[in-house]
Amino acid sequence: MQPSDFIHPEDAAALRQMENIPGFASLIKKILAIGLENLQYGVNMASAIRLSERQLPDIYKHLPPICEKMGIPEPEFYLQMDPNPNAWTFGDTRIYITVTSSLVEMMSEEELDAIIAHECGHILCRHVLYHTIARWLSSGLANLGILGAIATPVQFAMYYWSRKSELSADRAASIITNPEIVASTMARLSGGPKSLTSRINLEEWARQADDYDKIQNDGLWNKTLQLAVIAGLDHPFSAVRVREILKWGDSEQYAMIKNGGSPSDFSPSAGKCPNCGKDIGTGWKFCNHCGNQL
């Protein structure tokens, strides 16, 4: 798998815009110099259970085949006791995935594959370093005075990009499983256990995102209020993610990838991207290669 085959164009565009913020590179260097990665790695090592062929292999077995399909090195894999269902990927030089006990109990085998594939998608797309830094910023690191005045605008830019990056990771999970399974994991996380959410109409749920768009676009004041709500979020709203992944699942791009092809094969060329010079398909709003708005 290649990120350029499936990365969400808004992810690529947001990443490029974030990296162009004045002072961004300096901020990243300052954060890395503090040495928080080793601190967090040590805490996770000492408090969570590292999974392997010898340690809870029934959970561990989900990871190796996904890494093999994606063509990525296998990260360390941890289980943490927590009543809140969650999963995350952390680190830069030492990347690891952690899942919580309640997540494992809540998800079916296929859904757990989708969750782990989503996290591996972040690794494949090289999201993990910036996600890690965004988490440090959200924990109040900027308030320590270490990072200076540039931290706040970078923080909000990173949150915006982080929300878009989740859409790419959902696509990676859909390639390993399928869009309906990815959407069902969001049903579990939003609505509760399978006994309550197994009969959810996913298409009807996706239409809630359309209704949300109407509220968000209903005048400047409503738009301002909604922007204030989402500015500090690092994940999109669940209904938006469900709509996006089900829509992509019906696309020629997804069908081509599942059949072993490449997006450059699925759509007649509509010319060249003015930013990266690669072929673009008809109907593209963003270049699928570099994220440039067309």
Side-chain angles (χ1 to χ4, degrees), residues 209-223:
D210 295 332
D211 294 337
Y212 171 71
D213 285 345
K214 294 175 184 177
I215 295 173
Q216 188 178 31
N217 296 318
D218 183 21
L220 180 60
W221 179 239
N222 281 331
K223 190 165 190 175

Side-chain angles (χ1 to χ4, degrees), residues 39-56:
L39 171 64
Q40 190 67 37
Y41 177 80
V43 170
N44 193 77
M45 170 69 72
S47 61
I49 298 171
R50 184 165 61 191
L51 305 174
S52 69
E53 294 175 345
R54 301 180 303 278
Q55 186 69 274
L56 300 176

Side-chain angles (χ1 to χ4, degrees), residues 61-127:
K61 70 180 181 182
H62 291 269
L63 180 64
I66 291 172
C67 293
E68 182 178 355
K69 289 177 183 177
M70 289 192 178
I72 61 172
E74 189 176 310
E76 294 182 18
F77 192 19
Y78 290 87
L79 175 69
Q80 182 180 97
M81 196 289 290
D82 195 319
N84 297 309
N86 200 3
W88 61 89
T89 306
F90 209 80
D92 179 32
T93 58
R94 290 174 167 176
I95 298 175
Y96 57 90
I97 295 172
T98 303
V99 295
T100 64
S101 54
S102 56
L103 178 87
V104 174
E105 289 183 334
M106 180 179 288
M107 299 296 170
S108 69
E109 293 287 297
E110 287 182 321
E111 289 166 348
L112 189 55
D113 278 340
I115 294 284
I116 295 170
H118 174 98
E119 298 303 323
C120 288
H122 283 312
I123 298 173
L124 179 63
C125 293
R126 297 180 175 85
H127 291 156

Side-chain angles (χ1 to χ4, degrees), residues 38-39 45 52 61-62 70 132 153-154 187 189 195 270-271 287-288:
N38 282 339
L39 171 64
M45 170 69 72
S52 69
K61 70 180 181 182
H62 291 269
M70 289 192 178
T132 298
V154 170
L189 295 172
S195 59
C287 175
N288 277 17

Side-chain angles (χ1 to χ4, degrees), residues 150-226:
I150 61 173
T152 299
V154 170
Q155 183 178 13
F156 284 115
M158 293 191 85
Y159 284 156
Y160 176 78
W161 163 76
S162 181
R163 293 193 295 273
K164 301 304 181 182
S165 74
E166 295 301 321
L167 304 178
S168 295
D170 287 343
R171 288 183 173 191
S174 293
I175 295 171
I176 297 298
T177 58
N178 63 57
E180 288 72 24
I181 292 174
V182 172
S184 74
T185 66
M186 296 176 206
R188 306 285 175 266
L189 295 172
S190 296
K194 195 170 185 176
S195 59
L196 296 175
T197 55
S198 60
R199 297 184 300 278
I200 283 180
N201 184 322
L202 295 175
E203 288 76 15
E204 185 66 22
W205 188 19
R207 279 191 281 273
Q208 289 179 214
D210 295 332
D211 294 337
Y212 171 71
D213 285 345
K214 294 175 184 177
I215 295 173
Q216 188 178 31
N217 296 318
D218 183 21
L220 180 60
W221 179 239
N222 281 331
K223 190 165 190 175
T224 301
L225 290 175
Q226 292 300 325

